[in-house]
Amino acid sequence: MRAAEAELHTFTKQDCENQFAPLRSERHIAVAVSGGSDSMALLRLAEQWSQHQINISVLTVDHGLRPEAAAEAVKVAEWCARLGLEHHTLHWEGAKPKTGLQAKARAARYDLLSAWCKANDVAYLLTGHTMDDQAETVLMRQQRTDTAESLAGIWETAVWDGVKVFRPLLGQSRADLRAYLTSLGQPWIEDPSNSDRRFERVRVRQSLAEEGRPELQRIELADIAEKAGRAARALAVATEQWI
């Protein structure tokens, strides 16, 4: 765990209002928090926005893949307790797959998170995907396809098993979010799997960093996703009207 050494970055009340606008009528939301910088920034921003006027439930998934994961979930629970927020650890039980681990772990994670939300009558699940995640996703998909729906990358709002998944940080860079955490004195957890080159996303992330202009390239890739998303939505509307 550490805090980034970076220029401090803050978010105003209006910034938070803009980011969390779709949630204005909600009284109970769930936030997926691994303890990494992205999800911790999401949690602190959600708490700053809500000002304890709505119920925030924090959910951490222990996939059972790393021995450190249990202690990391405990640390997230401790941070939540200091903020006066309820925390729940969800466990991925059973045998783990030998191949396609990241994709299957992602599906298991969303299954666990959405099941908890439905059991507790929570309509929105928040996840901490950032502009960096969006850029990596678009770059990976460019190598396989050129359809608008695919190049739209990560959607701001999606649905998983009847639960709305909302990603309010897609317009924010990881560097700014870490600087925000630094301004709060909020540490985070570094996941060693984020540097494991067995995973495609890690290799793409490292290649972006090696380009020499990673921030500009992330913005360009995120812009591709935004334009592709608009095209995909327009096509979906036109198709529905035609039907």
Side-chain angles (χ1 to χ4, degrees):
M1 294 172 292
R2 66 181 180 82
E5 295 179 0
E7 183 180 352
L8 299 185
H9 186 86
T10 59
F11 289 86
T12 66
K13 180 179 180 181
Q14 190 58 53
D15 290 333
C16 292
E17 285 293 332
N18 294 338
Q19 286 180 307
F20 296 97
L23 307 177
R24 285 174 182 153
S25 63
E26 300 301 310
R27 288 294 169 261
H28 188 185
I29 62 173
V31 183
V33 179
S34 66
S37 60
D38 300 348
S39 61
M40 283 305 302
L42 172 63
L43 176 60
R44 295 304 303 262
L45 283 167
E47 184 239 357
Q48 178 180 331
W49 164 75
S50 72
Q51 298 182 326
H52 295 277
Q53 297 302 305
I54 67 172
N55 185 14
I56 298 177
S57 294
V58 184
L59 309 179
T60 301
V61 175
D62 180 354
H63 296 85
L65 298 173
R66 295 184 296 111
E68 305 89 352
E72 291 168 0
V74 170
K75 177 54 68 176
V76 174
E78 292 174 356
W79 289 333
C80 290
R82 293 174 192 170
L83 296 172
L85 301 174
E86 66 172 276
H87 176 270
H88 305 271
T89 300
L90 311 179
H91 298 272
W92 185 19
E93 307 287 358
K96 303 304 185 287
K98 300 292 185 183
T99 59
L101 182 59
Q102 279 204 322
K104 290 171 183 175
R106 175 183 179 275
R109 177 167 63 253
Y110 278 106
D111 284 345
L112 287 166
L113 293 167
S114 62
W116 189 96
C117 288
K118 289 195 294 184
N120 291 275
D121 197 26
V122 175
Y124 277 90
L125 168 69
L126 278 61
T127 67
H129 292 87
T130 67
M131 182 188 296
D132 300 64
D133 295 309
Q134 183 71 289
E136 292 158 10
T137 298
V138 172
L139 195 56
M140 287 189 293
R141 293 186 180 179
Q142 280 181 328
Q143 300 169 9
R144 301 183 179 92
T145 179
D146 60 359
T147 66
E149 186 174 11
S150 182
L151 293 182
I154 304 169
W155 292 75
E156 183 180 59
T157 303
V159 176
W160 189 280
D161 197 17
V163 175
K164 295 176 184 176
V165 181
F166 179 47
R167 300 161 175 130
L169 302 185
L170 283 177
Q172 304 295 327
S173 73
R174 182 167 294 123
D176 281 349
L177 293 172
R178 290 187 169 197
Y180 167 67
L181 291 176
T182 298
S183 74
L184 300 177
Q186 173 66 62
W188 63 83
I189 296 166
E190 295 286 3
D191 184 346
S193 65
N194 287 333
S195 58
D196 189 339
R197 287 186 60 83
R198 290 178 300 169
F199 303 124
E200 180 187 16
R201 183 173 292 276
V202 173
R203 296 193 297 271
V204 167
R205 183 174 302 157
Q206 292 177 352
S207 71
L208 277 171
E210 293 163 2
E211 285 291 327
R213 56 187 190 100
E215 195 62 33
L216 178 59
Q217 190 168 9
R218 289 189 188 98
I219 293 172
E220 291 171 348
L221 289 166
D223 186 55
I224 289 173
E226 183 179 355
K227 291 176 180 176
R230 288 200 298 268
R233 285 189 288 272
L235 179 60
V237 170
T239 302
E240 184 176 349
Q241 289 175 343
W242 182 84
I243 292 173

